[in-house]
Amino acid sequence: MKIGVLALQGAVEPHVVALRALGATTVAVRNPTELALVEALVLPGGESTTMAKLLRLNELEEALAERLAGGMPAFGTCAGMILLASGVLDGRADQRSFSAIDIDVRRNAFGRQVDSFEADLDVTGLAGGPLHAVFIRAPFVERAGADVEVLATVGGHPVCCRQGRVLVTSFHPELSGDVRLHQHFLELAAT
Ligand code: GLN
């Protein structure tokens, strides 16, 4: 299975490293031709407003919308989670999100005074103990639909969710050297 990593902006390379460590074949996705090569897609962290803009400029916006609507498995981390959400609070008016998972997210939700923090999270279904999670100007989930499974929370706010073959995290699992969530995504994508 070829796993794409959206490579327009943001923390692309650490996802490639994590996926390759698990034996996956990866493709950097920057245009519709590259998107057509992959069976699943990781949307990295970075800046969701910039990524939304670059998706449009690279004529990737409609192609991505179509693939997601067609059920392509997707793993969105931080800004990637924002792109996959149904609704974005504190976003820019022209910021596109793709409704691949029935959640509303608030950008920069943990507040300016704590732009970044780290936490050990209990993630439902993840064997081997807590997951060390890095949050960088992170969003959290304000609303999760009935079909969404909340897998982890911080201060009562969902920060890791799954619906079908779409997995999202507020944090950067690719930055802590723990590949268990990537492994979980590869297993989901293969179902
Ligand atoms: N605050 C960023 C945004 O709104 C997300 C930060 C991140 O991906 N680390 O897109």
Side-chain angles (χ1 to χ4, degrees), residues 16 22 35-36 41 85-86 116:
V16 171
L22 292 165
L35 181 62
L41 185 68
S86 306
S116 303

Side-chain angles (χ1 to χ4, degrees), residues 145-181:
D147 295 332
V148 173
E149 197 183 345
V150 173
L151 302 178
T153 59
V154 168
H157 303 291
V159 294
C160 180
C161 297
R162 184 183 75 86
Q163 181 178 7
R165 297 192 296 167
V166 177
L167 179 67
V168 293
T169 62
S170 294
F171 51 90
H172 287 259
E174 79 286 7
L175 294 183
S176 54
D178 185 330
V179 296
R180 284 178 291 160
L181 269 183

Side-chain angles (χ1 to χ4, degrees), residues 1-82:
M1 188 183 256
K2 279 190 183 150
I3 310 291
V5 180
L6 185 65
L8 298 175
Q9 190 261 338
V12 176
E13 195 54 28
H15 278 295
V16 171
V17 170
L19 292 163
R20 289 198 177 154
L22 292 165
T25 303
T26 59
V27 176
V29 172
R30 297 182 205 90
N31 56 50
T33 311
E34 288 163 348
L35 181 62
L37 297 175
V38 306
E39 287 143 284
L41 185 68
V42 174
L43 295 88
E47 181 51 53
S48 57
T49 53
T50 306
M51 271 191 235
K53 219 179 283 173
L54 291 172
L55 282 169
R56 196 162 304 156
L57 282 173
N58 288 274
E59 288 170 13
L60 199 46
E61 184 176 332
E62 287 320 312
L64 178 58
E66 255 172 51
R67 288 297 305 275
L68 290 169
M72 173 178 64
F75 181 17
T77 62
C78 205
M81 167 165 111
I82 297 170

Side-chain angles (χ1 to χ4, degrees), residues 97-186:
S97 67
F98 291 89
S99 301
I101 178 165
D102 185 19
I103 56 172
D104 295 338
V105 298
R106 183 174 298 282
R107 291 180 63 222
N108 306 326
F110 288 101
R112 285 206 181 132
Q113 73 283 14
V114 273
D115 279 344
S116 303
F117 62 97
E118 302 186 15
D120 290 318
L121 298 181
D122 287 319
V123 181
T124 304
L126 211 62
L131 181 79
H132 191 69
V134 180
F135 293 78
I136 304 169
R137 287 169 52 77
F140 63 56
V141 175
E142 288 267 1
R143 182 197 62 84
D147 295 332
V148 173
E149 197 183 345
V150 173
L151 302 178
T153 59
V154 168
H157 303 291
V159 294
C160 180
C161 297
R162 184 183 75 86
Q163 181 178 7
R165 297 192 296 167
V166 177
L167 179 67
V168 293
T169 62
S170 294
F171 51 90
H172 287 259
E174 79 286 7
L175 294 183
S176 54
D178 185 330
V179 296
R180 284 178 291 160
L181 269 183
H182 291 83
Q183 173 79 55
H184 181 53
F185 175 61
L186 293 179

